[in-house]
Amino acid sequence: MRVVAEDGSNLGVLPTDQALKRAQEVGLDLVEVNPKGTPPVCKILDFGKYKYEEKKKAAEAKRKQTVVEVKEVKIRPKTDEHDLNVKIRAIRRFVEAGNKVKVVCRFRGREMMHPQVAAGQLQDILKAIEDLINIEQRPMMEQRTMAMLVSPKPVVFQRLQQLQRERDKVRAEGGHHPLDQAHEEEELHDDDDDDDDDDDDEEGEGEAET
């Protein structure tokens, strides 16, 4: 095996027993750091400290990696302008955080007879967020719903990376970045949309029977 000393110097290729003896002499451990090397590479070090540093590096890498989630926002053909604007603000917030968003318009009863209403709503949403998104799936019917899927433009991820660098800099200086404070997500109330769902279903069922 090729052995690297505790100070980083290369001790060359040594038999296993000789490498172990050298590690014991300095009160440290012999750890294999590159098993795929030819020959494998081992280093003399403090194993406990080594494991701690590796765990710390993994946690830092996980914190920095971009995780893209798919958020779902629901609307109804009868969602009014105020509520639609609330949904749009939520969609923008999700996209600005680096997430994809699936917008679903759900039909009830006779609403199925007017899909153009839902199509108009989804187009209005697209116009309101076009500066932030790419369209992955244009509005299309899926059984009793019309749905579309949007994802962040590259510039959104660039902003997030810049923000992360600013946060890391502030943390390194022992400060606290203002955006580190948790922002409570604006609740997406569907109460007005669903209050009469049962009535719509009963009405739709009654029409089907007649």
Side-chain angles (χ1 to χ4, degrees), residues 42-199:
C42 293
K43 187 172 183 179
I44 297 174
L45 46 74
D46 183 329
F47 184 68
K49 184 177 180 180
Y50 171 76
K51 292 296 291 182
Y52 172 77
E53 292 295 335
E54 288 296 301
K55 185 177 180 180
K56 187 177 178 181
K57 288 179 184 177
E60 183 69 10
K62 184 177 180 180
R63 184 177 65 81
K64 288 185 176 181
Q65 70 179 157
T66 302
V67 179
V68 178
E69 297 182 14
V70 179
K71 302 289 187 177
E72 185 171 291
V73 175
K74 297 178 182 178
I75 63 173
R76 291 283 305 281
K78 62 183 180 181
T79 300
D80 61 29
E81 183 177 359
H82 173 269
D83 288 340
L84 198 61
N85 286 332
V86 172
K87 307 285 187 178
I88 289 172
R89 289 197 296 273
I91 294 169
R92 290 187 66 88
R93 187 169 63 251
F94 289 147
V95 173
E96 287 170 345
N99 300 302
K100 296 183 180 183
V101 180
K102 183 176 184 180
V103 186
V104 180
C105 185
R106 211 168 29 162
F107 297 99
R108 296 286 187 177
R110 288 178 296 182
E111 292 172 349
M112 284 289 293
M113 299 173 62
H114 305 285
Q116 70 277 8
V117 176
Q121 289 175 313
L122 295 180
Q123 288 299 326
D124 289 343
I125 292 173
L126 286 176
K127 290 178 182 177
I129 62 175
E130 62 183 356
D131 58 314
L132 296 174
I133 59 96
N134 290 320
I135 303 173
E136 289 201 6
Q137 176 190 304
R138 291 194 171 275
M140 62 182 295
M141 291 296 297
E142 298 178 355
Q143 296 182 345
R144 296 183 66 87
T145 67
M146 183 179 290
M148 66 179 182
L149 180 66
V150 300
S151 60
K153 287 183 176 180
V155 66
V156 174
F157 293 112
Q158 292 171 6
R159 291 173 187 167
L160 288 173
Q161 290 171 356
Q162 177 61 33
L163 179 60
Q164 186 62 58
R165 286 194 290 268
E166 292 174 0
R167 287 175 171 174
D168 290 342
K169 182 178 179 181
V170 172
R171 291 194 189 103
E173 295 172 351
H176 180 73
H177 196 284
L179 290 182
D180 281 339
Q181 297 178 355
H183 294 287
E184 294 184 358
E185 292 186 353
E186 188 174 342
E187 293 184 358
L188 303 179
H189 294 295
D190 285 330
D191 295 344
D192 292 339
D193 291 343
D194 295 333
D195 282 344
D196 56 353
D197 284 352
D198 293 339
D199 294 339

